[in-house]
């Protein structure tokens, strides 16, 4: 792309950079006319779409080589490595109906099943056995392995039947002897019952369905002069109400998660990961996701007939049950399945889905969705529909306009390789694609999942200190995907939102976090929030990413968090005033102040600030009613007017925080010297930073983690509490960020044996999480339930 961009004449670049929505068709036509004759342009298109040059092509030879590597590792007892090689082999093996080598596919599934069996991954092993049998029902090793893993799962009835099928199919004397020995062992354990039922995808779907409230909230799209379209309700909305759930119009996995998360549902993939049948790009967690994404079913072999192979009636029924179970389930799924396959147009040996940024791939998927819907409706004469999303094209920087023009043209040619002349590369389709890319930039949502950890299992096994360390370091949100939602995109932004957005799989859930009066705006956060950033940082972030200036209540009125989040301490003893790096002006006899920094000037109302006791303490001079005050510059206290050496304070603060982080991460903590130095640095930081500064909260958190690392949990509790108190000032007491910190605190208290303290902390967590995730919070975060059980148990023992 950069090579092509360098060839574009400067006058055309300038015209594109200065273009408006009205001139878009003209600039698209000019760029298209310039690029079409260029040999380099056609070379780029060939590199992106040509199957001969595609890096994602399947290769049976590569699959065989990887299988041999897997066998070598397995024979040496390197089962993790063997598992990896077998999975890579399955990724390379052509699996479409026309190209599949059934015997090799079944062998790879059984080999991977054997490696997983050795690693104790019994459920994953069973699924791979079923896939091998689905491909090749007469494969003895698949039935034998299935019998062994069913025995490991204590499914003894199924295990005996599997092994009897394997025995009936085995032709060699030595093979029969091995199976008979296994049968004897299993029969000795056989008590006529099966063990625990193996969970499947439908269980998760039932759980997700249970999250929906029985009385949905009535929503209405409204329009306001300040924000345009938005969402509201004609009725009052109680806290924690489920407002809306929605599947995406289109979604795409982030590049950073391509090898770890399912490309359809965005959950982490299990060990028995599945792959696209025709290319090596996507990975999937289940056959259902694989089929929904690609629109092609797994290659089930339905030609095998047990009745023709001299099996007893019982064994014939067992074979039929096993071989038809998954196929029948897929048929039932298809009856209710209306999803348009979103990967199909990208498949077949093309590079562009792996090369383009996620938002460009997402634009392609939106087009594909529209094309398929219109094709089904018999309206293919119009290749693209116009979406009623904001695009802010006129506000986009010149460099971005040129980039969007380039991607729109190249994407149109890539789509044409699949849709042929149903998708013509004209200035009309290109200009629509430019606007679509802008709309995705402005309206798409990041799909966020909580990083999965194994703390719950560690608590069950008594590995509590390890679990504490993981909680302190691993509670984080991971951006796994990017998606666009038709209704979800209508909710406006607020830096103090009253709506919480979260995702289960790829489904968007929106829930109220406070009481919302009828017709009040329902607003979520696009990212920046009060407590996370100060006013100027939020404005800059929203302007750069979404091309609008935020006018929410928090950006229009003076608030405590913005005053103190990055503030320094007043040098005057007992003064809680904030010293900031920006300037404030207050016109005489007016009820507002102006915040000025570089190119930004923000006007902030004082209407509700005068009665706020905390603001009175930190910024008394801004609230004075006399006409004397007109300006407070950087480095001056907003309460008493005292001045500090701002450059020195900044240097001291930065050095102290950086040193604390380094000490926390270093081994020197183990000898106790490091922790002493860290505490000294914390005191130094607190001597220059305001007591409510976010950097002080961050430092307290670092110190808490440091104490956990050396096993000294009482001071860890103290510093964790100190961090939470500051965060409650910056956000509010029921903010989700405070909830995550309380989980850390409860974990430390629990390991200390403080059941009462842990119980109190967990109660606060449940209140906060229920506001954001509803009454089924323990289904989404089972770790909280385990913490609660342990806390109650410890508290009960202590009371006795």
């Amino acid at each position: 792309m950069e090579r092509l961009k360098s060839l574009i004449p400067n006058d055309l670049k300038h015209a594109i950079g200065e273009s408006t929505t009205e001139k878009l068709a003209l600039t698209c036509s000019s760029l298209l006319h310039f690029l079409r004759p260029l040999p380099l342009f056609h070379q780029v298109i060939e590199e992106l779409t040509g199957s001969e040059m595609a890096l994602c092509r399947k290769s049976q030879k590569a699959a065989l080589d990887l299988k041999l590597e897997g066998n070598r590792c397995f024979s040496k007892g390197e089962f993790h490595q063997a598992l990896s090689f077998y999975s890579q082999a399955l990724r390379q093996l052509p699996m479409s109906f026309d190209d599949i080598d059934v015997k090799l596919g079944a062998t790879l599934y059984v080999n991977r099943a054997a490696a997983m069996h050795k690693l104790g991954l019994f459920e994953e092993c069973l699924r791979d056995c079923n896939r091998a049998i689905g491909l090749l029902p007469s494969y003895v090793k698949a039935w034998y392995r299935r019998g062994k893993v069913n025995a490991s799962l204590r499914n003894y009835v199924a295990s005996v039947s599997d092994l009897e099928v394997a025995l009936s199919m085995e032709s060699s004397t030595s093979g029969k002897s091995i199976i008979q020995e296994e049968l004897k062992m299993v029969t000795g354990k056989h008590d006529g019952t099966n063990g625990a039922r193996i969970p499947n995808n439908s269980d998760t779907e039932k759980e997700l369905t249970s999250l929906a409230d029985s009385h949905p909230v009535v929503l209405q799209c409204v329009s306001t002069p300040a924000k345009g379209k938005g969402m509201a309700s004609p009725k009052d909305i109680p806290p924690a109400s489920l407002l809306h759930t929605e599947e995406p119009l289109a979604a795409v996995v982030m590049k950073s998660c391509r090898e770890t998360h399912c490309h359809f549902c965005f959950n982490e993939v299990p060990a028995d990961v599945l792959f696209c049948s025709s290319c090596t790009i996507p990975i999937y967690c289940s056959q259902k996701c694989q089929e929904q994404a690609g629109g092609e079913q797994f290659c089930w072999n339905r030609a095998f007939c047990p009745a023709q192979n001299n099996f007893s009636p019982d064994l014939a029924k067992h074979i039929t049950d096993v071989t038809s179970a998954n196929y029948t389930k897929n048929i039932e799924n298809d009856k209710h399945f209306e999803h348009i396959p979103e990967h199909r147009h990208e498949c077949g040996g093309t590079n562009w889905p792996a090369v383009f940024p996620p938002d460009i791939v997402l634009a392609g998927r939106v087009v594909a969705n529209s094309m398929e819907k219109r094709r089904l409706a018999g309206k293919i004469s119009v290749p693209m529909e116009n979406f009623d999303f904001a695009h802010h094209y006129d506000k986009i920087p010149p460099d971005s306009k040129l980039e969007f023009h380039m991607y729109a043209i190249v994407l149109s040619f890539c789509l044409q390789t699949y849709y042929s002349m149903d998708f013509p590369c004209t200035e009309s389709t290109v200009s629509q694609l430019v606007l679509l890319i802008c709309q995705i930039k402005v309206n798409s949502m990041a799909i966020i999942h909580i990083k999965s950890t194994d703390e719950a299992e560690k608590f069950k096994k008594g590995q509590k200190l390890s679990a504490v360390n993981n909680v302190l370091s691993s509670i984080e949100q991971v951006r796994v995907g990017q998606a666009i939602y038709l209704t979800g995109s209508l909710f406006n932004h607020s830096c103090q939102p009253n709506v919480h957005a979260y995702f289960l799989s790829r489904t968007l859930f929106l829930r109220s976090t406070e009481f919302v009066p009828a017709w009040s705006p329902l607003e979520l956060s696009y990212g920046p929030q009060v407590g996370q950033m100060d006013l100027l940082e939020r404005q800059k972030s929203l302007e750069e990413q979404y091309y609008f200036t935020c006018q929410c209540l928090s950006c229009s009125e003076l608030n405590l968090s913005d005053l103190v989040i990055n503030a320094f301490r007043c040098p005057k003893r007992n003064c809680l005033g904030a010293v900031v790096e920006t300037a404030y002006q207050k016109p005489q006899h007016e009820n507002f102040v102006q915040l000025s920094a570089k190119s930004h000037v923000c006007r902030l109302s004082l209407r509700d600030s005068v009665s706020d006791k905390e603001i009175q303490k930190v910024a008394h001079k801004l609230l004075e009613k006399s006409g004397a005050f007109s300006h407070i510059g950087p480095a001056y206290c907003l309460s008493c007017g005292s001045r500090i050496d701002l450059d020195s304070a900044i240097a001291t603060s930065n050095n102290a925080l950086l040193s604390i982080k380094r000490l926390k991460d270093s081994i020197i903590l183990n000898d106790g010297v490091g922790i002493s130095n860290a505490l000294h640095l914390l005191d130094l930081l607190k001597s220059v930073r305001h007591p409510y500064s976010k950097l002080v909260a961050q430092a307290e958190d670092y110190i808490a983690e440091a104490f956990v690392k050396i096993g000294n949990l009482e001071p860890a509790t103290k510093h964790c509490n100190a961090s939470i108190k500051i965060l409650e000032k910056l956000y509010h007491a029921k903010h989700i960020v405070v909830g995550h910190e309380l989980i850390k605190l409860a974990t430390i208290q629990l390991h200390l044996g403080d059941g009462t303290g842990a119980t109190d902390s967990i109660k606060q967590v449940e209140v906060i999480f229920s506001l954001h995730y509803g009454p089924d919070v323990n289904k989404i975060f089972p770790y909280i339930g385990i913490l609660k059980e342990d806390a109650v148990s410890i508290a009960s023992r202590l009371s006795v």
Side-chain angles (χ1 to χ4, degrees):
M1 295 291 283
E2 291 302 319
R3 289 180 296 164
L4 279 175
K5 198 182 294 185
S6 66
L7 299 178
I8 301 172
N10 288 332
D11 58 343
L12 181 52
K13 287 182 181 178
H14 179 76
I16 292 170
E18 297 300 316
S19 63
T20 61
T21 310
E22 289 73 23
K23 300 282 186 177
L24 185 56
L26 178 61
T27 54
C28 288
S29 176
S30 299
L31 185 58
L32 192 59
H33 180 74
F34 172 78
L35 291 175
R36 273 188 192 275
L38 295 181
L40 180 59
F41 175 71
H42 292 281
Q43 179 187 333
V44 168
I45 299 301
E46 178 62 23
E47 288 173 357
L48 292 170
T49 61
S51 59
E52 293 303 314
M53 304 178 71
L55 299 175
C56 59
R57 285 184 301 164
K58 297 274 192 176
S59 168
Q60 184 159 321
K61 180 182 181 304
L64 285 166
D65 291 342
L66 290 163
K67 171 179 172 287
L68 292 175
E69 286 297 314
N71 291 347
R72 182 181 60 79
C73 291
F74 191 93
S75 64
K76 294 166 61 177
E78 298 170 350
F79 302 120
H80 282 288
Q81 293 91 325
L83 172 58
S84 176
F85 279 118
Y86 291 140
S87 288
Q88 291 177 52
L90 283 165
R91 192 172 201 167
Q92 289 290 335
L93 182 67
M95 296 286 274
S96 61
F97 286 99
D98 298 330
D99 301 326
I100 186 171
D101 182 330
V102 170
K103 181 64 186 294
L104 178 56
T107 300
L108 286 172
Y109 278 124
V110 167
N111 287 6
R112 187 168 74 167
M116 290 189 291
H117 198 180
K118 291 289 187 182
L119 294 169
L121 302 170
F122 300 145
E123 295 173 9
E124 294 87 341
C125 173
L126 182 61
R127 290 195 292 262
D128 261 6
C129 290
N130 289 339
R131 290 162 189 147
I133 291 167
L135 286 174
L136 192 61
S138 60
Y139 193 24
V140 177
K141 287 185 178 180
W143 287 104
Y144 174 70
R145 180 60 60 184
R146 191 177 195 274
K148 286 181 65 103
V149 75
N150 266 324
S152 298
L153 287 164
R154 299 183 181 180
N155 297 328
Y156 297 121
V157 172
S159 176
V160 168
S161 298
D162 291 336
L163 292 170
E164 287 178 345
V165 170
L167 186 62
S168 299
M169 291 180 173
E170 178 59 48
S171 57
S172 70
T173 304
S174 59
K176 284 182 179 291
S177 176
I178 292 171
I179 297 169
Q180 285 169 341
E181 286 299 316
E182 190 70 30
L183 258 174
K184 286 180 183 177
M185 288 191 290
V186 174
T187 305
K189 301 174 183 177
H190 179 21
D191 60 0
T193 61
N194 270 345
R197 184 180 64 86
I198 305 301
N200 56 47
N201 289 338
S202 63
D203 297 330
T204 304
E205 291 168 10
K206 289 175 184 176
E207 286 185 5
L208 298 191
T209 303
S210 73
L211 295 175
D213 292 7
S214 56
H215 302 289
V217 173
V218 177
L219 298 177
Q220 198 165 317
C221 185
V222 296
S223 185
T224 62
K227 294 191 175 184
K229 287 184 178 179
M231 298 298 286
S233 174
K235 296 184 177 180
D236 293 345
I237 300 175
S241 297
L242 184 64
L243 305 176
H244 181 65
T245 64
E246 184 179 1
E247 294 298 316
L249 173 67
V252 63
V253 73
M254 302 307 294
K255 284 188 176 182
S256 59
C257 296
R258 281 182 177 174
E259 298 302 310
T260 54
H261 288 72
C262 176
H263 287 216
F264 184 78
C265 74
F266 305 121
N267 292 325
E268 289 186 67
V269 292
D272 61 321
V273 58
L274 295 177
F275 307 98
C276 174
S277 61
S278 303
C279 76
T280 62
I281 297 176
I283 62 175
Y284 302 107
C285 67
S286 66
Q287 283 157 218
K288 182 176 181 181
C289 286
Q290 180 192 48
E291 290 161 8
Q292 285 181 318
E296 185 175 328
Q297 283 196 353
F298 187 82
C299 283
W300 300 109
N301 185 334
R302 301 187 296 278
F304 184 77
C305 180
Q308 298 174 358
N309 289 271
N310 300 318
F311 291 108
S312 68
D314 287 344
L315 286 187
K317 182 179 183 305
H318 180 68
I319 294 169
T320 301
D321 289 345
V322 171
T323 55
S324 64
N326 286 312
Y327 174 68
T328 304
K329 184 172 68 176
N330 289 335
I331 293 295
E332 289 301 314
N333 286 337
D334 286 346
K335 291 179 182 178
H336 308 286
F337 180 57
E338 298 179 357
H339 181 81
I340 292 174
E342 61 189 11
H343 171 63
R344 188 162 55 192
H345 68 285
E346 303 164 353
C347 207
T350 59
N351 278 328
W352 68 267
V355 173
F356 285 172
D359 47 358
I360 306 302
V361 178
L362 186 57
R365 291 189 171 191
V366 171
V367 172
N369 185 290
S370 175
M371 291 282 291
E372 295 298 332
K373 283 182 178 178
R374 298 175 80 78
R375 178 178 286 175
L376 291 172
K379 299 178 180 178
I380 199 62
S381 56
V382 181
M384 282 184 64
E385 62 180 302
N386 290 313
F387 295 96
D388 191 20
F389 298 134
H391 55 73
H392 299 311
Y393 178 80
D394 295 347
K395 299 180 181 179
I396 292 175
D399 288 347
S400 296
K401 287 181 180 178
L402 177 59
E403 182 180 292
F404 294 171
H405 273 67
M406 293 291 295
Y407 273 121
I409 290 174
V410 174
L411 178 60
S412 68
F413 276 82
C414 292
L415 291 171
Q416 193 180 62
T417 61
Y418 182 81
Y419 289 108
S420 190
M421 293 314 296
D422 286 343
F423 192 86
C425 298
T426 64
E427 62 269 17
S428 175
T429 54
V430 171
S431 60
Q432 281 183 283
L433 274 175
V434 170
L435 291 181
L436 177 59
I437 292 169
C438 295
Q439 289 171 324
I440 286 171
K441 179 79 172 173
V442 172
N443 295 279
S444 64
M445 291 185 176
I447 297 179
I448 305 294
H449 285 189
I450 302 296
K451 183 178 180 180
S452 64
T453 54
D454 57 355
E455 293 85 8
E457 287 300 316
K458 288 180 177 178
F459 262 84
K460 289 179 183 177
K461 296 174 182 177
Q463 302 172 22
K464 295 191 177 181
L465 185 56
S466 176
V468 172
N469 275 303
N470 275 338
V471 169
L472 290 178
S473 60
S474 299
I475 292 183
E476 62 177 287
Q477 296 179 331
V478 180
R479 181 174 177 172
V480 296
Q482 184 177 351
I484 192 158
Y485 298 85
L486 289 173
T487 301
S489 65
L490 294 174
F491 285 78
N492 282 321
H493 165 82
S494 172
C495 294
Q496 276 192 311
N498 54 19
V499 174
H500 177 61
Y502 61 98
F503 301 87
L504 296 175
S505 181
R506 56 196 274 141
T507 307
L508 169 66
F509 286 74
L510 298 176
R511 194 175 289 275
S512 61
T513 57
E514 60 187 57
F515 174 79
V516 183
W519 297 116
S520 293
L522 291 165
E523 296 173 325
L524 47 79
S525 170
Y526 290 1
Q529 291 190 43
V530 170
Q532 177 191 15
M533 303 177 184
D534 68 18
L535 172 59
L536 297 175
E537 290 173 318
R538 298 197 306 271
Q539 294 279 356
K540 184 173 182 287
S541 175
L542 291 166
E543 286 174 8
E544 289 179 351
Q545 190 168 357
Y546 298 102
Y547 314 115
F548 73 88
T549 300
C550 185
Q551 300 178 32
C552 73
L553 193 63
S554 300
C555 293
S556 306
E557 292 190 0
L558 195 69
N559 65 74
L560 177 67
S561 182
D562 285 341
L563 288 167
V564 300
I565 186 170
N566 294 319
F568 293 87
R569 178 184 285 274
C570 175
K572 194 174 180 180
R573 189 177 180 86
N574 298 326
C575 178
L576 195 61
V579 180
V580 294
E581 299 178 61
T582 50
Y584 283 90
Q585 292 85 31
K586 181 181 179 184
Q588 293 186 9
H589 309 296
E590 294 290 345
N591 201 30
F592 68 88
V593 295
Q594 285 188 171
L595 171 63
S596 303
K598 297 181 181 178
S599 60
H600 282 78
V601 177
C602 301
R603 176 169 163 162
L604 303 172
S605 168
L606 300 177
R607 183 183 56 192
D608 297 326
S609 305
V610 176
S611 60
D612 191 312
K613 292 182 180 178
E614 291 277 16
I615 295 180
Q616 285 278 2
K617 292 178 183 178
V618 302
H620 175 70
K621 280 193 167 294
L622 298 184
L623 306 179
E624 287 180 335
K625 293 186 177 180
S626 68
F629 159 69
S630 61
H631 176 88
I632 294 184
Y636 286 90
C637 175
L638 297 178
S639 186
C640 71
S642 300
R643 188 181 184 281
I644 67 168
D645 183 341
L646 192 57
D647 291 339
S648 174
I650 291 172
T652 300
S653 170
N654 292 344
N655 290 335
L657 186 67
L658 183 61
S659 298
I660 290 171
K661 187 177 187 304
R662 285 175 178 168
L663 285 170
K664 183 262 296 184
D665 294 335
S666 68
I667 302 175
I668 197 171
L669 286 166
N670 293 324
D671 63 12
V673 176
I675 203 73
S676 176
N677 290 339
L679 288 171
H680 170 71
L681 288 164
L682 176 62
D683 289 338
L684 186 61
L685 179 69
K686 291 165 78 171
S687 72
V688 295
R689 281 289 179 179
H690 194 276
Y692 302 161
S693 164
K694 191 167 188 178
L695 292 184
V696 175
Q698 193 174 351
E700 295 279 11
D701 191 57
Y702 287 158
I703 298 292
E705 187 175 342
F707 273 115
V708 167
K709 283 191 172 185
I710 61 173
N712 194 349
L713 299 186
E714 286 193 13
T717 304
K718 171 192 167 186
H719 289 283
C720 191
N721 254 317
S723 177
I724 290 170
K725 295 301 180 186
I726 298 172
L727 294 177
E728 288 176 341
K729 298 283 188 184
L730 296 176
Y731 294 92
H732 55 79
K734 293 183 180 178
H735 196 278
I736 192 67
V737 168
V738 176
H740 284 301
E741 295 303 308
L742 283 166
I743 290 178
K744 295 182 184 180
L745 177 61
T747 308
I748 299 169
Q749 290 169 326
L750 195 56
H751 187 62
L752 268 173
D754 181 6
T756 303
T759 301
D760 291 341
S761 297
I762 293 165
K763 284 179 181 178
Q764 294 179 66
V765 170
E766 287 183 314
V767 169
I768 294 170
F769 276 52
S770 293
L771 270 178
H772 291 79
Y773 297 99
D776 294 291
V777 62
N778 285 326
K779 290 182 181 178
I780 305 171
F781 300 97
Y783 176 61
I784 296 174
I786 294 171
L787 281 176
K788 185 177 181 180
E789 289 175 11
D790 281 9
V792 171
S793 174
I794 291 172
S796 299
R797 289 201 303 269
L798 291 174
S799 64
V800 173

